[in-house]
Amino acid sequence: LSYLDVSGNQLSGVLDAQVAPSLKYADFSNNGFTSMRRFVQYKVSSFQSLRFFNMSNNIIQQNATDLLEIIPPNIEEFVASNNQISGSLPDSLDNLPMLRQFNMASNSLSGDLPGFTSSFATLQELDLSNQTKGFKGPIPENLWRHLSLKTLHLAGSRLTGTISSLVGSLAVLEVFDMTNNL
């Protein structure tokens, strides 16, 4: 099994994505899942094939840091928008070196917006918009050093300060949305 799509149902409980070691695509969106089990099988085996994972539009109530520690390191697209994920994001996500899309919009994330230091060398799309609690403070300088970034959504938080002149060095940036930061 390499493709699994159970989106748009009324499934609930704990999301268990360990259904097959060869899974490449998993879509659990638009259900009623409340938490996600650890991807132990993917962390310790050589079967690290999962590339796309969507768990958006559920009622996942886990802490963001805990959740991000349990996803496979080879993930390329991680979509966890429209849930109830809380807490702050870690400063580094170096354990996700292949990530191209990271979408945790419309959750309950809070705290300072991390710059992700050297993380996300391949990141093209970052969407952290519309958090119920909201990120606060300035946009970290390190965020502007992600030269592969094409889309950056930071709308609907409590970000302050100035936009760095480094934004001009993002040659491939097509979309930058920072509306409604109050």
Side-chain angles (χ1 to χ4, degrees):
L1 181 65
S2 63
Y3 183 96
L4 175 69
D5 188 343
V6 295
S7 62
N9 289 290
Q10 295 179 3
L11 302 174
S12 60
V14 178
L15 189 158
D16 189 354
Q18 295 186 80
V19 294
S22 60
L23 196 61
K24 293 179 181 171
Y25 178 99
D27 191 342
F28 293 91
S29 65
N30 299 300
N31 281 291
F33 293 111
T34 55
S35 63
M36 184 174 80
R37 278 205 182 110
R38 184 173 198 85
F39 283 86
V40 176
Q41 184 172 343
Y42 296 106
K43 289 280 189 178
V44 297
S45 77
S46 60
F47 298 106
Q48 297 185 356
S49 59
L50 189 64
R51 300 289 185 243
F52 175 87
F53 187 79
N54 185 345
M55 62 180 208
S56 63
N57 298 304
N58 280 285
I59 48 176
I60 305 289
Q61 300 173 0
Q62 284 176 270
N63 177 281
T65 301
D66 295 341
L67 182 67
L68 293 172
E69 287 177 356
I70 64 175
I71 62 176
N74 50 296
I75 200 82
E76 293 176 12
E77 297 180 38
F78 180 73
V79 182
S81 59
N82 296 301
N83 280 290
Q84 298 170 14
I85 300 167
S86 61
S88 59
L89 292 174
D91 288 332
S92 171
L93 291 174
D94 290 340
N95 59 323
L96 304 172
M98 299 174 69
L99 201 60
R100 289 183 293 122
Q101 177 187 6
F102 185 67
N103 184 338
M104 289 190 73
S106 301
N107 278 291
S108 295
L109 300 175
S110 59
D112 293 335
L113 183 67
F116 298 117
T117 57
S118 62
S119 307
F120 297 152
T122 58
L123 188 67
Q124 296 175 3
E125 181 180 332
L126 177 61
D127 191 344
L128 299 173
S129 61
N130 302 315
Q131 302 298 324
T132 56
K133 294 183 180 178
F135 293 105
K136 62 178 176 55
I139 299 174
E141 287 288 313
N142 284 343
L143 194 59
W144 304 115
R145 300 188 197 289
H146 299 287
L147 301 177
S148 59
L149 207 55
K150 291 182 179 180
T151 305
L152 179 59
H153 291 282
L154 299 175
S157 257
R158 296 179 293 152
L159 298 172
T160 58
T162 60
I163 296 174
S164 172
S165 61
L166 291 174
V167 71
S169 65
L170 297 173
V172 296
L173 187 66
E174 297 171 0
V175 177
F176 175 45
D177 182 2
M178 197 176 145
T179 57
N180 298 315
N181 272 275
L182 308 171

